[in-house]
Amino acid sequence: MIGVLVSGNGTNLQALLDAGLPVSAVASNRQDAYALIRAREAGVPTATFSLDCHADRTERDLVMATWLEQHGAELVVLAGYMHLLTNPFLQRFPERVVNVHPSLLPAFPGAHAIDDVLAAGVQTTGVSVHYVDEGLDTGRLIAQEQVQVEPRETLVERIHAVEHRLLPEVVRSLCLVAR
């Protein structure tokens, strides 16, 4: 079973759902994340874990990890989740937390990867799926796929198309390995 963490629109969550993967729970740090609506419409339990409701990130992450475990999550997928996870969360799911990122890591980590790619003037970027550690997009790589930057006008759409295909492929393979 898969727990998914989201912060925004949820197109990568939708790709997981459309692929028929066993998503058992969706959690967010933002109550206004449209991804929560996508999950509810698919009949998946949702919850919001705002930092405002907890003493610190560690407490929030531990409560969130417990909720995910209670909903059967064995693998956690960050699908546009915009907070770093603390070590106590990661220890609850060792080598079972993955993230999708819109660049060829280790190049262009962080929340503004596509803008950083464009500013750098590189010809090729891509999508990475990696294990999550305590760093900012520093975990061990699982899969990458290149995307040409040009034409710039369609770069975001082309990166999203690769994310929406590559992430479900990787998650499916990880689910099969876990069996």
Side-chain angles (χ1 to χ4, degrees):
M1 298 299 267
I2 302 164
V4 181
L5 303 183
V6 296
S7 291
N9 191 31
T11 59
N12 281 309
L13 166 64
Q14 191 66 56
L16 296 171
L17 294 168
D18 290 348
L21 292 163
V23 176
S24 63
V26 175
S28 181
N29 59 307
R30 294 182 42 204
Q31 69 182 29
D32 63 343
Y34 186 74
L36 295 172
I37 294 170
R38 292 178 188 270
R40 285 186 213 114
E41 288 177 351
V44 177
T46 64
T48 302
F49 298 90
S50 172
L51 278 175
D52 299 344
C53 300
H54 300 280
D56 55 27
R57 285 180 43 221
T58 299
E59 177 187 286
R60 186 271 316 265
D61 285 1
L62 286 171
V63 171
M64 185 166 58
T66 299
W67 183 83
L68 289 167
E69 288 172 338
Q70 289 169 343
H71 285 84
E74 298 166 340
L75 175 70
V76 178
V77 177
L78 279 58
Y81 187 67
M82 301 306 287
H83 277 194
L84 292 176
L85 293 168
T86 59
N87 193 48
F89 182 98
L90 297 171
Q91 288 175 351
R92 297 278 283 278
F93 300 96
E95 292 294 310
R96 292 181 288 132
V97 181
V98 298
N99 183 43
V100 62
H101 183 77
S103 78
L104 293 175
L105 293 172
F108 309 107
H112 306 289
I114 295 174
D115 291 338
D116 295 343
V117 161
L118 293 172
V122 298
Q123 293 182 9
T124 303
T125 186
V127 173
S128 301
V129 179
H130 64 95
Y131 287 105
V132 175
D133 61 18
E134 286 187 89
L136 180 62
D137 298 320
T138 55
R140 185 168 49 92
L141 291 170
I142 302 169
Q144 289 185 309
E145 186 171 319
Q146 291 186 357
V147 175
Q148 294 301 311
V149 171
E150 295 298 339
R152 289 174 171 238
E153 303 79 36
T154 62
L155 178 60
V156 171
E157 292 82 11
R158 290 182 290 116
I159 284 183
H160 286 170
V162 172
E163 288 178 341
H164 298 163
R165 181 181 43 74
L166 187 61
L167 181 62
E169 287 174 6
V170 168
V171 170
R172 185 176 310 284
S173 70
L174 292 173
C175 288
L176 293 174
V177 168
R179 288 184 174 176

